[in-house]
Amino acid sequence: MKSNVFEQLGFSPEEAAAIKMKSELHSQIIKAIKQRGYTQADLQKRLDESQPRVSDLVTGKIAKFSLETFISYAEALGLHPQILVAAR
């Protein structure tokens, strides 16, 4: 059985791994935003992004963002993402 839900949805193992990383990082970004009580206006300043882009972030439209962008946002919010490489 495939261990990554995105593989189960038909994505290749490589695509599934990238989507899973983006999803997990987005979840941590949203968690930090909620814990700190940031408004979309706060995020526009902290992330140096437009209001529509911030709206896409907080409404979960992760397909509109690259993994690199999420890493940049996480760093701007004081998070320090790391990639763990493990053999299967």
Side-chain angles (χ1 to χ4, degrees):
M1 180 168 197
K2 297 175 181 176
S3 62
N4 182 322
V5 69
F6 299 107
E7 279 185 70
Q8 294 172 8
L9 292 172
F11 291 97
S12 71
E14 297 80 11
E15 289 173 309
I19 295 168
K20 184 177 179 187
M21 281 190 258
K22 282 175 59 175
S23 177
E24 290 175 357
L25 189 49
H26 177 262
S27 292
Q28 292 301 313
I29 290 168
I30 295 301
K31 182 178 175 182
I33 290 168
K34 288 180 179 178
Q35 286 177 339
R36 297 170 188 172
Y38 291 144
T39 65
Q40 287 195 19
D42 294 332
L43 293 171
Q44 281 181 257
K45 292 175 188 160
R46 287 189 174 278
L47 304 178
D48 192 29
E49 284 290 1
S50 67
Q51 193 283 324
R53 191 85 165 140
V54 169
S55 178
D56 288 342
L57 172 68
V58 298
T59 58
K61 296 178 182 171
I62 67 170
K64 292 188 172 193
F65 299 90
S66 68
L67 181 58
E68 291 82 5
T69 298
F70 280 151
I71 291 169
S72 173
Y73 289 172
E75 288 288 339
L77 294 171
L79 304 175
H80 303 290
Q82 299 178 353
I83 296 173
L84 174 63
V85 178
R88 287 188 179 192

